[in-house]
Amino acid sequence: MAQRTAVTGSEQPLPEVSILKAGERVPVQELLQGVIESLKISGGCLLRNFISQETVKELNDDFAPYFDKAKPLKSDFWAKETRRITGCMGKSDAYALKVVGNELWQEVGRHFLTSTLHWWLGDEQKYSPSNPQLNNTSVFKIRPGATAQSLHRDDIICHVHRPAVTSHEKGRDYGIGLFVAGTRSTRRNGATRFIPGSHLWDYAERPREELAVYAELEPGDAFMMLSGCYHAGSANTSLDEERLLYSTFTGRGWCRQEENQYLANEVERVKRLPVHLQKFMGWELSLPFMGWVGLDDPICLLSGEESEVGGYF
């Protein structure tokens, strides 16, 4: 990713985006700090070999039948050559377990998006963590001829507005995106472009196309990005290359999800997933009180067991 110059009050070089080697044999803790630092500084991070080629094939096979039936999206935001599959947690165990459930991805989300609160209940002081939750799931297939999206921030759904800062401040972010390549993702076939460092800009500042760089990926590679970064899908100017991308975003546990996980996925499929992923999908209280059903933790609806967090009501 070439370095360019941004104008955000004064001319400064755009920050470098780290490119790290991942893979099943690389310990998560060995990668974690490098990913965190890259996201703080540039807003993005590239990870080579994020998933194995066997997992890539499994994912592509799982979603192929859905793309056979997919129709063009009825939106000016999406080119007519785009096909998009949603509700992915209930459609592919490989996606749920090996993409969304990836340990490195989960740890990065916990670092940036966990909220903590100390509060009083009469004379008793309470401590309540709010864990990150799944915000949306999508698989994109971008065909030749697709036009480019306009640069945008994904945290606009939260009605957030931030002033400019000179360095990253914890608590500033509302989400993190993960894009995993199912095929080669190049500038020619429409790779995601983004503006490094734009997560630190004043949110009133408009994006500038000349500052964008491209997250080019091989199958199994991944690109992580803070949702406050300006980014967009690019034009597929190739003659015969389809770009296949697996996308997921995580968000704050107390913020409404972009994709309604309770309606997007069949409950019986959700029950088959590990409990930690059920909770990540939203079947969990954001402590102390957010998201209850019948004054109890919604995970009880899936497990049939009594709540582990009783006593708050």
Side-chain angles (χ1 to χ4, degrees):
M1 290 188 169
Q3 192 176 73
R4 303 185 186 180
T5 301
V7 180
T8 54
S10 62
E11 291 196 358
Q12 299 177 357
L14 291 181
E16 290 290 338
V17 180
S18 295
I19 302 176
L20 306 177
K21 293 183 180 180
E24 296 177 353
R25 297 182 180 179
V26 182
V28 168
Q29 294 304 317
E30 186 176 311
L31 286 170
L32 182 59
Q33 196 56 42
V35 175
I36 289 171
E37 287 304 310
S38 185
L39 291 175
K40 287 166 61 177
I41 294 169
S42 70
C45 183
L46 269 73
L47 291 151
R48 301 301 185 200
N49 302 312
F50 182 76
I51 59 173
S52 69
Q53 295 307 301
E54 292 77 13
T55 300
V56 171
K57 183 179 185 307
E58 190 175 358
L59 288 167
N60 292 354
D61 288 346
D62 283 349
F63 285 98
Y66 295 100
F67 279 113
D68 290 342
K69 302 175 183 178
K71 297 180 180 179
L73 299 171
K74 297 179 180 180
S75 168
D76 293 337
F77 187 69
W78 303 100
K80 66 180 186 303
E81 293 83 6
T82 298
R83 301 295 183 271
R84 181 181 183 182
I85 307 300
T86 59
C88 301
M89 294 293 282
K91 291 182 171 69
S92 168
D93 288 345
Y95 178 89
L97 299 174
K98 299 177 183 179
V99 177
V100 177
N102 178 275
E103 185 181 357
L104 176 63
W105 166 239
Q106 292 283 322
E107 287 288 345
V108 170
R110 280 190 281 269
H111 174 83
F112 283 98
L113 301 175
T114 299
S115 299
T116 56
L117 179 70
H118 293 273
W119 55 284
W120 290 94
L121 183 63
D123 294 330
E124 182 181 4
Q125 189 172 36
K126 297 279 191 177
Y127 167 78
S128 297
S130 178
N131 299 316
Q133 67 178 343
L134 187 62
N135 199 33
N136 69 58
T137 64
S138 296
V139 185
F140 300 101
K141 183 174 284 188
I142 316 297
R143 298 175 176 176
T147 55
Q149 289 179 328
S150 297
L151 291 165
H152 60 283
R153 305 180 194 269
D154 273 3
D155 58 5
I156 57 173
I157 63 172
C158 300
H159 284 236
V160 61
H161 185 91
R162 296 294 195 211
V165 292
T166 56
S167 61
H168 184 269
E169 299 172 348
K170 200 166 185 179
R172 182 178 176 91
D173 310 294
Y174 275 66
I176 311 173
L178 172 67
F179 307 97
V180 180
T183 59
R184 291 188 72 216
S185 185
T186 67
R187 180 168 181 168
R188 186 165 180 256
N189 69 18
T192 301
R193 67 194 191 284
F194 88 114
I195 301 179
S198 56
H199 63 305
L200 305 179
W201 294 5
D202 189 305
Y203 272 41
E205 186 167 352
R206 67 174 180 84
R208 295 171 54 194
E209 279 288 352
E210 64 270 23
L211 301 179
V213 299
Y214 291 77
E216 297 189 300
L217 309 171
E218 293 295 324
D221 292 348
F223 174 57
M224 288 190 195
M225 181 198 70
L226 296 178
S227 61
C229 278
Y230 275 122
H231 72 287
S234 304
N236 187 339
T237 61
S238 71
L239 297 177
D240 57 1
E241 295 179 24
E242 290 186 334
R243 182 170 65 94
L244 181 60
L245 196 68
Y246 296 91
S247 169
T248 183
F249 274 77
T250 184
R252 296 279 180 182
W254 44 263
C255 194
R256 183 174 180 178
Q257 293 164 302
E258 180 178 350
E259 180 185 36
N260 189 316
Q261 297 299 316
Y262 319 109
L263 299 179
N265 301 283
E266 295 180 4
V267 173
E268 292 306 314
R269 288 293 299 263
V270 175
K271 287 181 178 180
R272 290 166 37 186
L273 296 174
V275 173
H276 75 277
L277 286 181
Q278 294 173 348
K279 292 181 177 181
F280 185 59
M281 292 174 72
W283 274 268
E284 177 185 44
L285 286 177
S286 173
L287 297 177
F289 305 119
M290 190 74 75
W292 54 262
V293 178
L295 302 183
D296 210 341
D297 192 327
I299 198 69
C300 300
L301 296 179
L302 298 181
S303 67
E305 299 177 358
E306 293 184 3
S307 171
E308 298 177 359
V309 292
Y312 287 99
F313 305 106

